[in-house]
Amino acid sequence: MMAAGLLLTLSIISLTIHPILSFCPLAASVSIPKHDDALHNDVDQLLREKLQRIASEYESHVDKLKKTLEMEIELSEKTENCLLRNTMEDRPEFLLSEKLRRKREVMKECLDANNLVVQRLLSGSIDGRKTSQTKPYKLFETIEFISSSDDDYSLLMGNGGVTDQQKKETEGYDTALQVITHTARDWAHGSSPCRDVTNAWIIRAIVDNCSGMGKIRILVPGSGLCRLAYDISTSSDIVEAGAEACVEANDSSVTMAFAARSVLDMVQKQAVSRIYPFVSDPQRNEIHSSKRFDADVFPDEEALAAYSDYYLIRGKSPDLAYTVGDFSSIYKSQSKRALYNVVATAFFIDTATNIYEYIFIMKHLLKDKSSIWVNCGPVQWHPCAMLRPTVDELRDILIASGFELITWEIAPETLAYRHPDDYGAEHARYTREEGYRSLRFVARFSQGRTDDAADDLHLRIEYVEYLNEVANGKIKV
């Protein structure tokens, strides 16, 4: 049975840097069965409680780190008393226990600061502190219910990439730790070299293929904290090329959507916050103990300037929307057929359970032969993937599916995902480095629309999902 879909639309059409304009609230369309007025009134509160649980889980994470450090201090001190008794008094600065005590104070400051970031992004509090006077966000202005045969109301809360009910908000994508990681990667100043390469390549591809087209609708699946969608919507290069981008971001995580909304609210208010991206990293492969506590600031200056620059060029705010829900469930519908001039994907295609689903939904979404699918990112198939084609196999699948490949290449340079220090840096952070080389392509229809994009696509996709369930043993035949 298909999971219930949860769609939230975040419109910032009326959003500018001018303080007289307010942030537009979210609207939700919720697919559930047997709804009633009581449930309608409860949806806002249910999601608010989810966000509060995720924020509280970060506080539990902080407590665990502090307890682990206390254990290390005690163990190292007792070990040193046993083995280094004659040298301790002469050179105390060389002792691990002393270094850990100093680290304890710095770590507390960093973790407390990150906790304020989590509270700010998920609770709507301006300074991140919860008080009796704190006025919460109104999560949804309107809620529309759509019939569904699924009777699992917990699906309203999303799964964040984890299907185990007990692990949804403590592991995987839908957690406060992931909010910190994605906020730093998407919006912090120090990570700009990593995202600039990916985002700039996608924007150049849009400019090269969509110049002079006027208003163009662009879908960005897997948007996370929304930086790629934001960069496209505020791009002066796209404007100067004679196009006007109407951008729709999509992600499966309600948590990421509300964190993104809070960051965009900060952009509007020209507000910034300190963040410590590395303080919760695993304690292995570290070269310099001090680098764990490196600070950064978000949103970065480029993000703040892009907003005002766009307004000066266009005389209005960027057109950006955010839809929350499973990509396949939402975009296979007939209402989405031939709706977009561009689909832009970054770090997304390798999240597919069955890559054929994504490919045929892309065909379904694109308007005509002039429409393009732009991709930039690794092919690091996620654990949920049941088909894991190599790059050359993926190329042949796209051609067989009716796409013409205008550009197809593996990026020559290896990049860090999160921060430049994570790979190939002069002042490396770790003894083990992690980088990737992006698969970059621009694809369009090789011919006109065929019966591959027929009205029954949603039924075909549902059958493919049934095949996936059979293949992984969830359905016995």
Side-chain angles (χ1 to χ4, degrees):
M1 188 64 63
M2 292 300 299
L6 174 60
L7 287 74
L8 304 92
T9 303
L10 164 59
S11 172
I12 62 169
I13 297 176
S14 63
L15 216 170
T16 75
I17 60 172
H18 303 297
I20 58 172
L21 295 179
S22 61
F23 192 83
C24 188
L26 295 171
S29 297
V30 182
S31 177
I32 57 174
K34 305 174 185 177
H35 62 269
D36 54 31
D37 292 339
L39 182 59
H40 184 286
N41 295 333
D42 286 345
V43 170
D44 186 276
Q45 183 61 29
L46 287 170
L47 286 175
R48 193 183 307 283
E49 290 172 358
K50 172 187 171 71
L51 298 177
Q52 291 173 347
R53 287 195 304 272
I54 291 172
S56 296
E57 181 59 32
Y58 185 77
E59 295 176 348
S60 299
H61 162 76
V62 169
D63 289 341
K64 290 176 184 177
L65 287 183
K66 290 179 179 178
K67 288 178 181 178
T68 299
L69 185 56
E70 291 298 330
M71 178 275 293
E72 292 175 347
I73 291 172
E74 181 180 357
L75 176 60
S76 61
E77 186 174 39
K78 290 180 177 179
T79 303
E80 290 158 0
N81 283 331
C82 175
L83 301 177
L84 300 174
R85 185 176 305 166
N86 297 328
T87 60
M88 288 178 63
E89 295 182 359
D90 297 336
R91 308 296 296 273
E93 71 274 12
F94 282 81
L95 298 179
L96 180 60
S97 59
E98 183 63 26
K99 294 178 184 293
L100 292 176
R101 287 190 189 93
R102 293 197 296 267
K103 182 183 290 188
R104 175 174 56 191
E105 300 307 313
V106 181
M107 178 175 284
K108 180 181 184 303
E109 178 183 341
C110 298
L111 290 171
D112 288 348
N114 277 4
N115 189 36
L116 288 178
V117 170
V118 170
Q119 297 298 330
R120 179 176 196 168
L121 297 185
L122 299 186
S123 74
S125 172
I126 294 300
D127 61 2
R129 295 178 174 85
K130 293 181 285 187
T131 69
S132 58
Q133 287 76 38
T134 297
K135 183 178 180 180
Y137 278 132
K138 183 176 183 181
L139 299 188
F140 304 119
E141 182 70 12
T142 58
I143 300 175
E144 175 189 3
F145 290 98
I146 305 170
S147 296
S148 168
S149 58
D150 203 313
D151 60 358
D152 186 356
Y153 292 116
S154 66
L155 291 171
L156 271 171
M157 301 297 101
N159 62 33
V162 179
T163 56
D164 189 320
Q165 292 287 336
Q166 300 302 316
K167 296 181 179 180
K168 284 182 178 183
E169 297 163 7
T170 59
E171 297 181 16
Y173 183 53
D174 209 23
T175 64
L177 278 176
Q178 288 294 325
V179 169
I180 291 290
T181 297
H182 283 76
T183 300
R185 200 272 173 186
D186 273 15
W187 295 97
H189 171 76
S191 298
S192 60
C194 299
R195 60 177 176 264
D196 285 352
V197 174
T198 300
N199 294 8
W201 190 90
I202 289 175
I203 289 171
R204 283 198 302 273
I206 294 172
V207 169
D208 291 343
N209 291 276
C210 299
S211 295
M213 290 180 60
K215 183 171 288 189
I216 54 175
R217 296 195 62 172
I218 301 174
L219 175 66
V220 185
S223 284
L225 262 288
C226 205
R227 184 55 185 267
L228 173 59
Y230 175 84
D231 284 352
I232 293 173
S233 69
T234 58
S235 171
S236 59
D237 291 341
I238 293 176
V239 173
E240 292 168 2
E244 180 181 351
C246 304
V247 183
E248 179 181 342
N250 163 252
D251 201 89
S252 63
S253 170
V254 176
T255 308
M256 292 294 172
F258 285 106
R261 182 177 81 162
S262 296
V263 174
L264 292 172
D265 195 24
M266 293 173 67
V267 172
Q268 178 198 16
K269 294 181 171 70
Q270 299 287 287
V272 297
S273 179
R274 184 176 295 269
I275 191 171
Y276 293 88
F278 317 104
V279 67
S280 294
D281 280 5
Q283 290 183 274
R284 54 178 181 262
N285 294 313
E286 292 180 274
I287 297 175
H288 302 289
S289 58
S290 61
K291 289 182 76 67
R292 170 176 289 270
F293 307 113
D294 285 352
D296 212 332
V297 174
F298 79 96
D300 59 300
E301 293 179 0
E302 290 82 359
L304 298 175
Y307 211 93
S308 56
D309 291 347
Y310 183 91
Y311 189 86
L312 290 174
I313 294 173
R314 298 292 301 175
K316 61 179 181 179
S317 300
D319 189 337
L320 174 60
Y322 203 123
T323 302
V324 179
D326 175 68
F327 171 74
S328 297
S329 299
I330 295 171
Y331 292 98
K332 70 184 180 185
S333 68
Q334 184 62 17
S335 64
K336 301 294 184 180
R337 185 182 181 190
L339 202 58
Y340 302 94
N341 303 97
V342 178
V343 178
T345 52
F347 302 95
F348 177 70
I349 61 173
D350 52 8
T351 67
T353 300
N354 186 326
I355 187 61
Y356 279 103
E357 289 183 55
Y358 280 13
I359 291 172
F360 275 80
I361 291 174
M362 299 301 176
K363 288 186 64 178
H364 174 72
L365 297 172
L366 295 176
K367 279 189 174 182
D368 51 39
K369 191 175 179 180
S370 68
S371 304
I372 57 170
W373 173 13
V374 185
N375 178 78
C376 187
V379 190
Q380 182 173 307
W381 299 104
H382 287 212
C384 65
M386 302 190 68
L387 296 177
R388 305 175 182 88
T390 60
V391 169
D392 60 328
E393 291 169 341
L394 180 59
R395 180 180 184 275
D396 290 344
I397 292 172
L398 285 169
I399 294 172
S401 300
F403 279 101
E404 173 189 356
L405 302 177
I406 304 170
T407 302
W408 184 274
E409 63 185 19
I410 298 294
E413 69 276 14
T414 301
L415 300 172
Y417 169 75
R418 178 181 58 170
H419 191 277
D421 287 355
D422 290 345
Y423 184 87
E426 181 180 354
H427 304 290
R429 189 176 302 279
Y430 303 109
T431 57
R432 176 180 176 177
E433 297 184 321
E434 294 189 4
Y436 70 95
R437 294 171 63 194
S438 287
L439 167 61
R440 306 191 297 207
F441 67 77
V442 179
R444 66 185 177 196
F445 292 139
S446 57
Q447 298 176 350
R449 188 171 289 278
T450 68
D451 61 1
D452 288 337
D455 294 347
D456 66 346
L457 177 73
H458 67 288
L459 297 176
R460 299 188 188 198
I461 295 298
E462 287 181 7
Y463 183 68
V464 170
E465 290 169 344
Y466 165 78
L467 296 177
N468 296 340
E469 299 283 275
V470 172
N472 66 22
K474 291 184 177 179
I475 295 178
K476 302 296 183 181
V477 293

